[in-house]
Amino acid sequence: MITKEFDTIAAISTPLGEGAIGIVRISGSQAFEIASRIFKGKDINRLASHTINYGHVYDPDRHEILDEVMLTVMKAPKTFTREDVIEINTHGGIAVTNEILQLLIRQGARMAEPGEFTKRAFLNGRVDLTQAEAVMDLIRAKTDKAMNNAVRQLDGSLSHLIKETRQEILHTLAQVEVNIDYPEYDDVEEATTAIIQEKTLEFQQLLEGLLRTAKRGKILREGISTAIIGRPNVGKSSLLNNLLREEKAIVTDIEGTTRDVIEEYVSIKGIPLKLIDTAGIRDTDDLVEKIGVERSRKALSEADLVLLVLNASEPLTDQDRQLLNLSDKSRRIILLNKTDLEIRINQDELPDDCIPISVLQNKNIDHIEDKINDLFFENAKQIEQDATYLSNTRHISLIEQAVASLQAVNDGLALGMPVDLLQVDLTRCWEILGEITGEAAPDELITQLFSQFCLGK
């Protein structure tokens, strides 16, 4: 693999702030030369690759030492970018890491753009687009399941499947061309049509199978938007605090304490939930609370999951019945809270699958987690074992377009269209799949994708 020649870039690769270490990364053909000008220690050019070395960062213009550091040397092509890479491990402070970055820029490096290290890895053939996007999925993963799925995609599970499918499509197109150009039998049109029909069905089944995994893939990647609703003072905020294992929301006996929507992430058996604690939905003359109620209604309409909390120690009210009706079309779990008190709610008016809980006594909270898992994942083991599934919105859209192209081939077959016209749609499917891995992606798309990455990655 011959890497492309780029200028040398530098960036801080750790979050700014106080910490044990901060890492400043340099990549490019002049990485060693630039680092040598500011490093007091062993001769960088004589160091073995993939070693970490003690020394000091020195400002040659001001003749002063900036920090005591550990410097890592990684020689091309066995690096993430397939270029020479230097990483300077400095003490984790905003001032010192910024000062070292500015020093490298004064010595000839350029400030890296967002995602430029990963972009160079892609351009130099180190990763394809699916693997590059998996890097950001891994950084943003909120649960162990999301992390594991990102790691599998980073290892190339999805790209391998897509590349294999593209190769099979290309082989089919080539076979069709051979049959047309060098017919060995009289019924070449019929035989060629049969090949296209068989292979198109095979490709379509494979891609539609991938699309069926998209729902749970997006859930693991983006989380389940979960609205906690109920009339005031039924225990919504207490439930939120219980699930979060911390006192995030203010809890009092005063109705209308929660005035706005509170959003927090929590992992339920490896599934990320974006919990939305809403203001109690009721008619009110309080202007601030009224705004909160309207936001609650909006959160309810947009939520993937609704946790409807009712007070089991009181009879159903008109407000409760209104919320039951409002959430009837939603995927919901009805929770009967305060079962540690005398039960006064009429359960005959409620569905059979309500879950009795007591947030105060932490009773049956685990049943909520089991119900969520049942609602969104019928087979939990399949989630763990399934190494290839869609979670990225861009991938899902492109697979849908590829399936539409294959369907166009099927429609053409049914209408008896000529083989050369069928080839157009099959070729289009091959091109669309190439956009997923980056083999046929336009430059504008690549620039846009990597602009979403963080600096230093």
Side-chain angles (χ1 to χ4, degrees):
M1 170 63 68
I2 299 175
T3 59
K4 297 182 180 181
E5 187 69 33
F6 297 111
D7 55 354
T8 301
I9 55 174
I12 298 170
S13 294
T14 46
L16 287 176
E18 295 182 4
I21 61 169
I23 299 176
V24 183
R25 178 182 292 167
I26 322 166
S27 179
S29 58
Q30 292 185 299
F32 287 9
E33 179 185 343
I34 292 171
S36 296
R37 297 180 198 147
I38 68 164
F39 181 67
K40 278 190 171 294
K42 295 180 179 178
D43 184 350
I44 290 177
N45 294 299
R46 295 185 178 182
L47 294 173
S49 183
H50 294 76
T51 59
I52 188 164
N53 306 272
Y54 171 80
H56 294 82
V57 170
Y58 175 77
D59 186 339
D61 297 326
R62 291 187 286 185
H63 306 289
E64 63 180 18
I65 290 176
L66 297 184
D67 196 14
E68 182 180 36
V69 301
M70 300 296 289
L71 181 140
T72 304
V73 174
M74 290 173 278
K75 295 180 181 178
K78 295 183 178 180
T79 67
F80 180 62
T81 60
R82 282 203 163 131
E83 301 173 330
D84 288 338
V85 172
I86 295 287
E87 288 187 352
I88 300 172
N89 290 251
T90 181
H91 290 95
I94 296 174
V96 67
T97 50
N98 269 324
E99 191 64 34
I100 291 174
L101 175 61
Q102 293 303 318
L103 177 59
L104 290 170
I105 292 171
R106 289 197 297 271
Q107 294 299 317
R110 172 176 62 78
M111 182 70 179
E113 298 173 358
E116 190 168 1
F117 290 96
T118 308
K119 183 177 181 179
R120 291 191 176 194
F122 166 72
L123 293 174
N124 287 326
R126 172 68 174 76
V127 296
D128 65 20
L129 271 191
T130 66
Q131 292 171 302
E133 289 168 296
V135 171
M136 281 310 299
D137 288 347
L138 186 59
I139 292 171
R140 293 169 178 166
K142 298 177 179 67
T143 68
D144 56 347
K145 283 189 176 70
M147 177 192 71
N148 291 337
N149 287 315
V151 168
R152 284 196 288 266
Q153 188 164 311
L154 185 58
D155 285 342
S157 62
L158 178 60
S159 62
H160 180 70
L161 179 63
I162 296 298
K163 287 176 181 177
E164 273 194 344
T165 305
R166 290 190 84 227
Q167 189 59 41
E168 282 295 314
I169 293 174
L170 198 60
H171 178 73
T172 301
L173 289 168
Q175 192 174 359
V176 169
E177 285 290 341
V178 169
N179 284 356
I180 292 173
D181 294 341
Y182 304 98
E184 298 178 359
Y185 28 73
D186 296 331
D187 57 346
V188 62
E189 183 78 20
E190 182 179 340
T192 306
T193 300
I195 292 172
I196 294 178
Q197 190 167 29
E198 177 189 352
K199 286 298 184 178
T200 298
L201 180 61
E202 179 185 323
F203 301 143
Q204 192 165 355
Q205 288 175 341
L206 174 66
L207 297 182
E208 286 177 345
L210 268 179
L211 284 176
R212 283 193 290 272
T213 70
K215 186 174 183 179
R216 72 171 177 262
K218 285 192 70 177
I219 285 172
L220 291 186
R221 186 173 189 262
E222 301 173 7
I224 303 171
S225 177
T226 306
I228 305 175
I229 69 167
R231 60 185 171 86
N233 209 30
V234 294
K236 300 185 299 300
S237 296
S238 297
L239 175 63
L240 174 73
N241 291 338
N242 184 290
L243 293 172
L244 292 174
R245 310 293 194 264
E246 63 175 303
E247 298 297 317
K248 199 72 178 182
I250 300 172
V251 178
T252 73
D253 292 329
I254 303 171
E255 291 189 355
T257 300
T258 302
R259 297 298 189 93
D260 203 351
V261 171
I262 299 173
E263 295 185 1
E264 289 292 333
Y265 273 95
V266 65
S267 174
I268 302 293
K269 295 193 174 182
I271 303 168
L273 262 64
K274 183 172 76 171
L275 292 175
I276 306 166
D277 180 24
T278 64
I281 297 177
R282 64 170 181 175
D283 294 328
T284 176
D285 293 328
D286 186 302
L287 179 60
V288 176
E289 187 181 355
K290 186 178 290 186
I291 294 171
V293 169
E294 286 306 313
R295 290 184 179 178
S296 297
R297 292 181 186 275
K298 186 173 185 291
L300 169 61
S301 66
E302 296 176 350
D304 300 316
L305 172 67
V306 172
L307 300 181
L308 172 56
V309 185
L310 302 175
N311 188 344
S313 68
E314 297 177 358
L316 276 175
T317 67
D318 290 339
Q319 290 178 11
D320 291 329
R321 294 185 182 93
Q322 181 187 12
L323 290 172
L324 284 164
N325 290 330
L326 279 173
S327 62
D328 185 48
K329 302 299 182 184
S330 304
R331 186 173 291 187
R332 73 180 178 187
I333 301 174
I334 300 175
L335 306 173
L336 305 182
N337 190 28
K338 303 190 181 182
T339 55
D340 50 289
L341 304 174
E342 180 185 354
I343 306 298
R344 299 184 60 197
I345 196 168
N346 183 6
Q347 297 190 47
D348 292 337
E349 296 185 57
L350 300 171
D352 296 331
D353 58 351
C354 298
I355 301 177
I357 65 169
S358 171
V359 176
L360 182 65
Q361 297 180 347
N362 199 33
K363 178 182 174 184
N364 286 347
I365 302 300
D366 57 331
H367 290 193
I368 303 174
E369 300 179 357
D370 292 336
K371 184 67 173 177
I372 291 171
N373 201 53
D374 292 342
L375 278 174
F376 288 89
F377 299 104
E378 295 178 2
N379 189 340
K381 289 184 179 179
Q382 186 179 4
I383 304 167
E384 299 291 345
Q385 297 169 357
D386 191 2
T388 305
Y389 70 90
L390 298 179
S391 62
N392 185 294
T393 303
R394 186 181 74 88
H395 301 167
I396 293 169
S397 174
L398 289 170
I399 292 290
E400 287 174 340
Q401 293 176 46
V403 169
S405 293
L406 293 174
Q407 186 58 49
V409 176
N410 289 328
D411 293 342
L413 286 167
L415 294 171
M417 294 175 63
V419 170
D420 54 346
L421 292 180
L422 300 178
Q423 282 181 283
V424 173
D425 288 313
L426 196 55
T427 302
R428 176 59 184 149
C429 177
W430 178 79
E431 292 171 346
I432 290 169
L433 294 179
E435 286 191 40
I436 295 177
T437 58
E439 293 170 283
D443 292 342
E444 295 81 5
L445 170 65
I446 292 173
T447 300
Q448 190 269 335
L449 280 177
F450 286 106
S451 68
Q452 300 173 29
F453 281 49
C454 53
L455 281 169
K457 193 57 188 169

